[in-house]
Amino acid sequence: MENEPTSSLAPVDGVTRIAYRIGSGVVGLCLVLYCGLAVAQVVLRYVFSSSLFWVEEISVIAFVLMIWVAAPALWLSREHLALDFLPIARTRVGAIVADLTMIVIGSVAAYASIDTINAFSVLALPIWDLDYGFKLYPISAGLVSLVAAAAYSLARNLRRARR
């Protein structure tokens, strides 16, 4: 994500640029956190014969957050993995169909994720007295932001189709 998109189908507009900057910043911070925790865990375990019991939980949350924060920026620039497998999504009609599909499927998944969080909230994480649903929040927030990106992309494609 270090370079801004240059796809001819989705020109770089202000929203895509902002999504890229936010995504790049969060991914960078999470990578630093992820690597720092891994190094700290190795040093603590093998040098001091002690380790932190919560490193894995924080690392998983950071990793999932990286993926879901980057997804909207990738969708807006038509670089998302789902769009790479669908060559028809490179056409204007295909892009509209892909956006509609993401809005429907993403909305259903976001709604279902709320029930999943509630179901897992009865379990406790071993860190900071949090419920297990906390670990799933980045997925729900990512799905909502991906649906918002698809809705914006759909509006942009429909506006261009009228011209």
Side-chain angles (χ1 to χ4, degrees), residues 33-130:
L33 174 69
Y34 192 77
C35 293
L37 286 174
V39 168
Q41 183 73 338
V42 169
V43 169
L44 286 172
R45 179 172 289 166
Y46 295 109
V47 174
F48 299 107
S49 298
S50 179
S51 63
L52 302 171
F53 66 91
W54 48 264
V55 168
E56 183 181 342
E57 301 296 336
I58 298 298
S59 297
V60 168
I61 292 170
F63 187 73
V64 170
L65 184 65
M66 283 190 302
I67 293 167
W68 285 104
V69 167
L74 295 174
W75 188 270
L76 288 172
S77 62
R78 295 289 176 216
E79 296 174 10
H80 194 278
L81 183 61
L83 298 174
D84 286 342
F85 286 116
L86 299 171
I88 194 168
R90 297 282 177 204
T91 66
R92 193 166 314 282
V93 171
I96 290 170
V97 170
D99 288 334
L100 286 171
T101 304
M102 179 53 72
I103 290 169
V104 171
I105 292 173
S107 297
V108 170
Y111 180 76
S113 72
I114 295 168
D115 289 336
T116 305
I117 288 172
N118 291 335
F120 279 98
S121 290
V122 297
L123 301 174
L125 284 174
I127 57 171
W128 303 311
D129 197 31
L130 295 171

